[in-house]
Amino acid sequence: QDLGDGTPEGVKGKHISEAARQGDAVAIDSFRELARWAGAGLADLASLFDPGAFIVGGGVSDEGDLVLDPIRKSYRRWLVGSRWRPHAEVLAAQLGGKAGMVGVADLARQG
């Protein structure tokens, strides 16, 4: 099945998500790579700040466990001293991909 408009520019995040759900190997590999880097980044932040949770927003959070589970796995893999320190939860923002827009609207309302 063709997703997007047939050009690289026409491929959006939602198309990659749909392809991954359909079992497309390239899309699945893209999610693995995203998860690897995101998990490593969260592990670096955890090493500095020891947070109780990371809240993931934006379009990534709209994909739920399709992307969050691999991020959690990568985070645990890259967390320095993971056997001895608490692990932060990695959660999806309740507003998902709309979180940024709601925040901007609230700032505009306050300003």
Side-chain angles (χ1 to χ4, degrees), residues 18 20 54 59 69 71 74 77 93-96 106 109:
E18 180 63 28
F54 289 104
D69 281 345
I71 288 174
S74 175
R77 177 176 181 249
Q94 288 182 341
L95 297 175
D106 188 48
R109 182 183 58 82

Side-chain angles (χ1 to χ4, degrees), residues 1 8 17 20 34-35 41 54 63 65 78 101:
Q1 174 180 347
S17 300
L34 166 77
F54 289 104
E63 301 310 322
D65 289 336
W78 291 103
M101 188 61 76

Side-chain angles (χ1 to χ4, degrees), residues 2-111:
D2 290 323
L3 300 171
D5 65 4
T7 67
E9 296 79 21
V11 177
K12 307 291 182 213
K14 64 183 178 182
H15 299 130
I16 297 169
S17 300
E18 180 63 28
R21 285 191 188 91
Q22 294 174 9
D24 181 87
V26 173
I28 291 168
D29 190 51
S30 295
F31 272 108
R32 283 189 188 129
E33 190 69 11
L34 166 77
R36 184 173 78 83
W37 285 103
L42 294 179
D44 286 346
L45 289 171
S47 294
L48 295 171
F49 300 110
D50 278 328
F54 289 104
I55 309 302
V56 179
V60 170
S61 66
D62 288 339
E63 301 310 322
D65 289 336
L66 176 68
V67 71
L68 291 177
D69 281 345
I71 288 174
R72 291 176 185 122
K73 182 178 179 182
S74 175
Y75 164 72
R76 288 189 301 271
R77 177 176 181 249
W78 291 103
L79 183 62
V80 174
S82 65
R83 291 178 47 195
W84 299 280
R85 69 183 334 147
H87 292 194
E89 292 184 77
V90 178
L91 307 168
Q94 288 182 341
L95 297 175
K98 295 181 176 83
M101 188 61 76
V102 171
V104 167
D106 188 48
L107 282 174
R109 182 183 58 82
Q110 292 176 21

